[in-house]
Amino acid sequence: MLGKTNITTLSEGAIITEVEDFKWVQMQSGTYGNFVKAIYKNGYLVAITADGTVAYTTDGEVWQTSVPEYTDCKLNDIEWDGSRFILAGSHSATIERLESTFGLILTTDDFSDYTMVNIKSEDDEYGTNKHYDGEYYSVYTQNGKYYILAGRRDNTQLEAYLYESNLMDAWERIDIHTNGIRSGSVVTAKNSGEMLVCLSAFNTNPGAYSYFNYVYKVNGTNVAKVKLLKENDTNVPMVFAIECKDNLYFMSALALDNYEFAKVSEANETFLVSTEKNYAFKSGVYFNGCELFINNHEMLVVKKGESIADKTLDDLIEIAPELTMNCITKAFGQIFIFGNQGAILKYSVETNNESAITVQTISAKK
């Protein structure tokens, strides 16, 4: 059984750890942004940071960085539409004499330059107490259409909604949630045809405060609420959306010592995969016949024929106790994990020993 690692310091800024045949080396990185999403498309492995930096490689070894030239640029998501990359986030700007934070959609072919996509619906208004897109959380494509998950504040309330367009016609807005959310955070995961949206919200009602977690599934313009998690007068932790082997999952904490790891079916039904175990999963990937799930510092390996329901917290493999991991993806026949402070962990199978897995930290250098 795979268990916790032992850490041996080799030199300043370098450590090596081992778990049976698993081992990796950590090296210093010159990039300090926190990675939030990564994809491998069109020969590019690309990862974006929350502070607006794009790191990319075409061979998994040599990394380059690119920074879109927008004030206070924040990036939340990246997608490939078959001919170009699309990035979603926000930036600071002055529009119609209103200085504020606005949603930002960019397209690029090779990260050498970026083109802004203008999304403006008929009900957009600018000025004091007016409504406008404050942030774009996620983007995905389906059958030639683009779907942008957006949020805006209107009189201190936060709305979440979806835009649809083919980039040639006007954008159509589809409401997701507008029920008095005062503040909230959004996380998403996408498979080959759908998007899971997890909304952690703080609602205000007369004389009462409530914290909610909503889980929605988006398929084209069809938006379905698949789960409502609620704890009155208690701050419910964020729900994480996860994709692995083209399946969509969410990881949530309903209350103290009450945790759910659930799968969402194509019919929008939820199936509990694991309960009462605080795995705190944030991301997943299918690799070499195994489902791999990561949390901030650990990984769970679920081999073919195994079940997550039979796993325990002792099966978690500690990978990066000194780092915070955020997302994992497969590229160039290898595995890459992206974390805070510019950390990129490279995870590969040695050609002379399929049971040996090596993980290296690679700097994302300019």
Side-chain angles (χ1 to χ4, degrees):
M1 181 179 69
L2 298 176
K4 303 292 185 179
T5 65
N6 295 317
I7 303 173
T8 304
T9 301
L10 299 179
S11 63
E12 184 177 356
I15 62 173
I16 184 168
T17 63
E18 294 188 4
V19 183
E20 297 179 352
D21 291 330
F22 294 73
K23 59 183 178 181
W24 51 93
V25 177
Q26 180 184 334
M27 299 176 290
Q28 293 293 330
S29 172
T31 299
Y32 295 98
N34 296 337
F35 288 109
V36 292
K37 288 290 177 68
I39 62 170
Y40 176 54
K41 295 291 184 180
N42 196 37
Y44 286 88
L45 172 58
V46 191
I48 58 174
T49 70
D51 62 358
T53 298
V54 180
Y56 61 97
T57 178
T58 56
D59 60 8
E61 300 293 337
V62 179
W63 290 83
Q64 300 182 65
T65 60
S66 173
V67 180
E69 296 181 356
Y70 293 87
T71 303
D72 298 327
C73 180
K74 176 186 177 185
L75 296 177
N76 295 321
D77 195 20
I78 182 169
E79 185 61 277
W80 168 255
D81 71 356
S83 61
R84 58 187 173 177
F85 292 93
I86 309 168
L87 296 91
S90 63
H91 70 127
S92 296
T94 301
I95 299 179
E96 297 182 15
R97 291 186 288 185
L98 173 63
E99 183 177 348
S100 189
T101 299
F102 298 90
L104 180 67
I105 295 292
L106 302 173
T107 64
T108 181
D109 296 326
D110 56 8
F111 310 104
S112 60
D113 57 81
Y114 299 85
T115 300
M116 181 188 292
V117 176
N118 183 30
I119 299 179
K120 189 174 187 299
S121 62
E122 294 180 354
D123 62 346
D124 280 346
E125 298 181 45
Y126 301 99
T128 305
N129 294 327
K130 300 298 183 179
H131 45 260
Y132 53 87
D133 298 338
E135 188 166 3
Y136 298 128
Y137 302 109
S138 188
V139 53
Y140 89 106
T141 61
Q142 183 185 83
N143 300 325
K145 295 290 184 68
Y146 296 77
Y147 298 90
I148 310 292
L149 180 63
R152 71 162 49 140
R153 293 189 180 280
D154 185 3
N155 295 324
T156 74
Q157 302 300 308
L158 176 67
E159 302 176 33
Y161 45 95
L162 190 73
Y163 279 130
E164 180 200 37
S165 176
N166 57 9
L167 295 189
M168 294 179 290
D169 299 325
W171 291 88
E172 178 185 353
R173 171 177 159 166
I174 302 100
D175 286 337
I176 292 180
H177 195 103
T178 59
N179 185 21
I181 299 176
R182 183 175 180 180
S183 63
S185 56
V186 177
V187 292
T188 63
K190 297 169 286 186
N191 62 11
S192 57
E194 299 176 309
M195 177 168 62
L196 199 65
V197 179
C198 295
L199 173 63
S200 297
F202 171 57
N203 286 13
T204 56
N205 296 308
Y209 296 90
S210 300
Y211 293 88
F212 298 82
N213 287 134
Y214 300 91
V215 180
Y216 297 91
K217 186 138 80 141
V218 178
N219 185 329
T221 58
N222 297 317
V223 178
K225 182 189 293 183
V226 298
K227 191 75 173 180
L228 167 61
L229 311 172
K230 175 181 176 181
E231 277 291 315
N232 286 327
D233 304 319
T234 302
N235 191 354
V236 179
M238 178 186 292
V239 178
F240 286 101
I242 301 162
E243 183 275 331
C244 186
K245 201 180 178 181
D246 212 39
N247 295 315
L248 294 173
Y249 300 88
F250 64 87
M251 181 83 219
S252 66
L254 301 180
L256 186 63
D257 298 326
N258 186 6
Y259 306 97
E260 283 189 0
F261 183 50
K263 177 181 176 180
V264 182
S265 71
E266 292 184 3
N268 303 327
E269 298 175 319
T270 60
F271 298 92
L272 288 179
V273 178
S274 175
T275 61
E276 300 180 357
K277 301 168 189 174
N278 187 18
Y279 287 123
F281 292 143
K282 298 170 69 174
S283 183
V285 71
Y286 185 68
F287 178 71
N288 214 28
C290 299
E291 292 178 280
L292 310 178
F293 300 93
I294 62 169
N295 58 29
N296 282 346
H297 308 291
E298 302 162 313
M299 174 186 289
L300 182 69
V301 179
V302 184
K303 298 179 181 179
K304 185 177 180 180
E306 295 181 338
S307 171
I308 297 178
D310 297 328
K311 296 289 184 177
T312 70
L313 296 178
D314 290 334
D315 292 314
L316 289 168
I317 304 168
E318 189 174 69
I319 291 181
E322 76 292 350
L323 301 174
T324 298
M325 304 185 299
N326 297 323
C327 54
I328 182 172
T329 192
K330 179 172 66 174
F332 311 112
Q334 302 170 335
I335 290 296
F336 293 81
I337 300 175
F338 299 85
N340 285 354
Q341 299 182 337
I344 304 174
L345 304 178
K346 180 183 176 183
Y347 183 99
S348 62
V349 178
E350 296 177 358
T351 56
N352 61 345
N353 184 358
E354 291 188 359
S355 66
I357 298 179
T358 302
V359 181
Q360 278 189 309
T361 299
I362 301 176
S363 298
K365 297 180 180 179
K366 295 184 179 180

